[in-house]
Amino acid sequence: MDMLNTILNLLLPPLTIIFLYLFYPFYLLIKLVIYLCNHYLRFEDVAGRVVLITGASSGIGEHLAYEYAKKGAYLALVARRKDRLEIVAETSRQLGSGDVIIIPGDVAKVEDCKKFIDKTIHHFGKLDHLINNAGVFQTVLFEDITQIKDTNPIMSKGKIIVISSGSANMPLPLASIYSASKAALLRFFETLRVELSPDIKITIVLPGLIATDMTTPRFIEKYGSDFIMSESVSTCAKAIFRGIGRGETYIEEPSWMKWIFLMKTICPEIFDYSLSYLFFRYLKPYFKRD
């Protein structure tokens, strides 16, 4: 075993470089052709599709419901706040959805997750798109964490859209537990995509900082204003909906984030140094322990 690993350690670096040198230009060309075809020639018609959205009472989930409603999809909206769900449902009907149901509940409870699926199937007879969007965000030093809570997503047949986070691909200061959970979500559904392909398509969304009810009040409380680079939730939802319609496997929004991920891969030391500098210079002073 050790001998085999030694041989691979010696052979794989030059072979990888040679392979990328010869193959990568053609790979990029193929990717460009596929992108242009998906962008301009193919878009999924979601009229009459049954879409279940968790975390639909506000933020990305709410605005994704509106985008689907505009195209005539049928909606099952899930969240804990029934009053907010009723407002989102009524707006969705006005925007063009022919049938909308609300299912109040908590995705942290397995029995509620089963209820979401069962009620949707019972009402519509099928489920085409499952959008796992519900989540929480917390900014805290790891040493201050007092409780770690596990959640288990429930899935069904059909197209699955997973709202992860850009922090799944980068070390995000003050969000160690959040980033770890999103990274686990990313790897879980990447593995599931391989296992379920080609019958079930999985799209993984990696949003950056989006101005939602979950993040904006925290920034205003901590720093006096929202983060200058926050993207509006409606813009984010429109981009996610377009990506879903094009059948993209990953959706980074804002799209410039994919270049940040690339820089992290190519220059990890510089990336880590830059994040450390920004953290200790601008963020950590706001989180000093008493």
Side-chain angles (χ1 to χ4, degrees), residues 43-44 46 63-64 66-71 73 129 236-247 251:
F43 193 88
E44 181 182 2
V46 297
H63 287 267
L64 274 178
Y66 297 156
E67 294 302 316
Y68 272 101
K70 292 174 185 176
K71 300 299 182 180
H129 289 192
C236 177
K238 290 178 188 298
I240 293 172
F241 182 75
R242 289 195 298 269
I244 294 170
R246 292 194 292 261
I251 302 172

Side-chain angles (χ1 to χ4, degrees), residues 75-94:
L75 303 175
L77 306 178
V78 173
R80 289 175 296 180
R81 296 177 291 177
K82 183 178 180 181
D83 56 336
R84 280 291 306 160
L85 280 179
E86 290 173 343
I87 295 173
V88 176
E90 182 56 33
T91 303
S92 298
R93 294 185 188 100
Q94 294 175 3

Side-chain angles (χ1 to χ4, degrees), residues 12-224:
L12 276 184
L15 289 178
T16 301
I17 292 173
I18 293 171
F19 175 78
L20 289 176
Y21 178 77
L22 296 175
F23 172 75
Y24 201 60
F26 296 101
Y27 170 76
L28 290 179
L29 179 61
I30 293 170
K31 290 278 287 184
L32 177 61
V33 171
I34 293 174
Y35 170 79
L36 292 175
C37 289
N38 288 340
H39 193 79
Y40 295 106
L41 302 178
R42 189 184 73 170
F43 193 88
E44 181 182 2
D45 182 8
V46 297
R49 298 280 190 181
V50 176
V51 184
L52 190 157
I53 306 176
T54 65
S57 61
S58 64
I60 293 175
E62 174 188 355
H63 287 267
L64 274 178
Y66 297 156
E67 294 302 316
Y68 272 101
K70 292 174 185 176
K71 300 299 182 180
Y74 301 147
L75 303 175
L77 306 178
V78 173
R80 289 175 296 180
R81 296 177 291 177
K82 183 178 180 181
D83 56 336
R84 280 291 306 160
L85 280 179
E86 290 173 343
I87 295 173
V88 176
E90 182 56 33
T91 303
S92 298
R93 294 185 188 100
Q94 294 175 3
L95 289 173
S97 180
D99 195 355
V100 184
I101 63 171
I102 64 171
I103 313 173
D106 188 348
V107 296
K109 299 177 180 178
V110 174
E111 59 271 17
D112 279 8
C113 292
K114 292 178 180 178
K115 178 182 71 174
F116 304 153
I117 301 296
D118 291 342
K119 284 195 172 183
T120 302
I121 297 295
H122 182 265
H123 182 84
F124 295 105
K126 63 175 182 174
L127 176 57
D128 297 304
H129 289 192
L130 171 61
I131 301 182
N132 292 301
N133 169 69
V136 296
F137 180 76
Q138 184 180 26
T139 52
V140 62
L141 293 172
F142 180 80
E143 61 200 61
D144 293 331
I145 296 289
T146 58
Q147 182 181 9
I148 298 177
K149 186 175 184 181
D150 294 325
T151 60
N152 299 306
I154 300 294
M155 297 177 298
S156 182
K157 292 182 179 180
K159 191 170 188 178
I160 300 175
I161 297 90
V162 186
I163 310 296
S164 182
S165 169
S167 65
N169 272 339
M170 66 173 69
L172 186 64
L174 300 173
S176 53
I177 301 301
Y178 177 79
S179 297
S181 68
K182 294 301 183 180
L185 194 68
L186 172 63
R187 294 296 175 249
F188 175 78
F189 279 100
E190 283 180 331
T191 304
L192 202 64
R193 177 193 288 146
V194 175
E195 294 179 4
L196 299 180
S197 178
D199 297 326
I200 296 178
K201 306 296 183 182
I202 296 180
T203 295
I204 301 174
V205 183
L206 302 167
L209 194 59
I210 310 301
T212 67
D213 294 342
M214 188 167 61
T215 57
T216 298
R218 294 174 183 270
F219 269 95
I220 294 175
E221 180 183 355
K222 269 299 186 192
Y223 310 110

